[in-house]
Amino acid sequence: MTGLSPARTRLALLALALGGFGIGATEFVASGLLPQIASDLLPSLDASSPQKAIAQAGIMISAYAAGVVVGAPTIAVFAARLPRKGLLIALVAAFTLGSLASALAPTFPLVVAARFVAALPHGAYFGIAALVAASLMGPGKRGRGVAFVLSGLTIANVIGVPAITLLGQQAGWRVAYVAVAGIFALAMVAIWLAVPRQPGDPAATAARELGGFRHATVWFALLTGAVGFGGFFAVQSYIAPLATHVAGLASGFVPVVLIVAGLGMTLGNLVGGHLADRGATRTVFFCFGAFAVAFTVLGLTARWPVGLYLGVFLVATTASALSPAIQTRLMDVAGESQTLAAAANHSALNIGNSLGAFLGGAVISAGFGYLAPTWVGLALCVPGVALALVGTLLSRRQHAVTSRGGREPIAPLSGV
């Protein structure tokens, strides 16, 4: 992308980040409102067992994650040739309608279905927006371009999610989703006004995009992200009862805990973007080591408010730093399938979302308490590191084969 003034470039990036802000709000606001949602939509179960009602309400989070998993590769594969600005506007319009449907659906099954549908554009938006941001930032700054788009999501967790959670606690959770729809409407206007026209890839075909899945290194990168974020979402999905039932805080402090998590995500995203430009693979291993420390700190200290704040901050920071590294790693190993790689990352992260919400809910339902999901997150670090290690070894083998004149495609080592 050339010919844009620095001011216009910043405005375009901010418009893309505003869409990410809306996505962060719609994805994470349920975590702080699960007790209210369970009370409203599952009154009988909530009366007999609030713990089980909250765990069942967590299905909303898993449904959203499943929608991302389905929508990201599907839309990316068939939309790679379309003009990117128009596609982004269409995706944000779909978010607006999906959020309104979530607010208006009268029963729990319909709300779950609405959350699934609302999530379909998630991965495609971030994938296309990341490609646009990378072109705006220029060569050598892909990680920072990805991080800038994701900064909208992380800042949403500092400002948007706590504010909307407080609104939902005071005015009802349905009003919270109406507010989310309003954010998407603003993002749609901002993208229309600020983002320059950018054509799609005229050479893209569904077969070429799907060809990226032929590379084992792509699958291992995706699985690494899924398992890594599974640990984060095991904690994040049940952060409200963790704060109130384990740390003994009043419900009014839940937005404060969410702000702390959002600050951690914002810092982690910025640090992760810079580290990814210096070596994506090294960053992945570093993040998993830090992840293990963060879960341990949270698990041992969450019974005290200060320990809860510190542990949540550390878990959110390390999780958010992992995302730009996985995204950059996927762009390295996907070859020509860049649109698919950019979107599939969000499928992987939301497989982690669904996995974490499910495993966290399972250990809570089994009677292990609201602190148990923290230890689930720690346990998931082990397969995460193993998957990253296998993917790295495959990259090295492919590089060695290519160096000897073989035909296997090169998978860039990204700092290995």
Side-chain angles (χ1 to χ4, degrees):
M1 182 71 63
T2 60
L4 292 180
S5 68
R8 176 69 187 278
T9 298
R10 285 193 293 271
L11 285 174
L13 290 170
L14 287 170
L16 295 173
L18 181 58
F21 184 94
I23 295 174
T26 198
E27 181 174 17
F28 292 107
V29 74
S31 299
L33 294 174
L34 280 185
Q36 288 77 19
I37 294 169
S39 177
D40 182 36
L41 296 177
L42 302 167
S44 298
L45 182 59
D46 185 64
S48 61
S49 175
Q51 192 173 71
K52 289 185 178 180
I54 289 173
Q56 185 169 331
I59 294 173
M60 284 179 56
I61 298 172
S62 295
Y64 185 92
V68 179
V69 173
V70 172
T74 304
I75 296 174
V77 164
F78 293 104
R81 297 171 63 111
L82 297 177
R84 289 172 177 169
K85 177 177 179 176
L87 180 58
L88 288 171
I89 292 172
L91 292 171
V92 175
F95 269 122
T96 306
L97 296 174
S99 299
L100 286 174
S102 301
L104 298 174
T107 65
F108 182 69
L110 288 176
V111 170
V112 170
R115 297 312 296 149
F116 175 85
V117 173
L120 293 174
H122 178 125
Y125 177 85
F126 274 126
I128 301 299
L131 294 176
V132 173
S135 70
L136 290 170
M137 293 290 286
K141 298 179 181 178
R142 289 180 310 160
R144 276 165 280 184
V146 171
F148 200 102
V149 174
L150 290 173
S151 70
L153 186 150
T154 59
I155 292 172
N157 283 275
V158 180
I159 302 171
V161 173
I164 296 171
T165 298
L166 184 60
L167 174 66
Q169 289 176 337
Q170 300 300 318
W173 67 270
R174 295 182 187 275
V175 175
Y177 279 107
V178 172
V180 169
I183 294 171
F184 281 124
L186 288 175
M188 187 166 50
V189 174
I191 292 170
W192 177 63
L193 292 174
V195 175
R197 294 185 181 275
Q198 187 177 124
D201 184 352
T205 63
R208 194 191 79 175
E209 291 296 320
L210 290 170
F213 286 134
R214 294 198 305 268
H215 307 312
T217 46
V218 170
W219 285 103
F220 277 100
L222 291 170
L223 288 170
T224 300
V227 171
F229 263 67
F232 169 67
F233 280 108
V235 172
Q236 178 73 16
S237 299
Y238 303 99
I239 200 166
L242 179 65
T244 57
H245 289 75
V246 176
L249 295 172
S251 61
F253 281 92
V254 171
V256 179
V257 180
L258 292 172
I259 289 173
V260 171
L263 289 170
M265 293 178 72
T266 301
L267 175 63
N269 181 59
L270 294 173
V271 172
H274 282 277
L275 291 177
D277 283 332
R278 289 164 173 76
T281 304
R282 280 198 303 265
T283 303
V284 170
F285 285 110
F286 170 80
C287 287
F288 272 111
F291 228 3
V293 173
F295 282 122
T296 302
V297 169
L298 179 62
L300 295 177
T301 66
R303 291 181 176 84
W304 300 277
V306 172
L308 174 71
Y309 292 136
L310 175 62
V312 165
F313 179 82
L314 292 176
V315 169
T317 300
T318 51
S320 194
L322 181 64
S323 184
I326 295 291
Q327 181 83 81
T328 304
R329 173 69 176 157
L330 276 167
M331 290 179 176
D332 284 341
V333 301
E336 294 182 331
S337 306
Q338 290 294 298
T339 303
L340 179 63
N345 180 43
H346 296 279
S347 286
L349 300 185
N350 279 274
I351 288 174
N353 187 338
S354 185
L355 175 68
F358 171 76
L359 292 177
V363 293
I364 290 170
S365 294
F368 291 103
Y370 291 115
L371 191 58
T374 302
W375 303 117
V376 171
L378 179 61
L380 287 175
C381 288
V382 176
V385 170
L387 289 165
L389 180 60
V390 173
T392 301
L393 293 175
L394 283 174
S395 289
R396 289 179 171 174
R397 183 175 68 83
Q398 290 178 0
H399 182 76
V401 169
T402 305
S403 298
R404 293 194 302 268
R407 295 185 178 180
E408 287 197 54
I410 297 176
L413 299 184
S414 296
V416 175

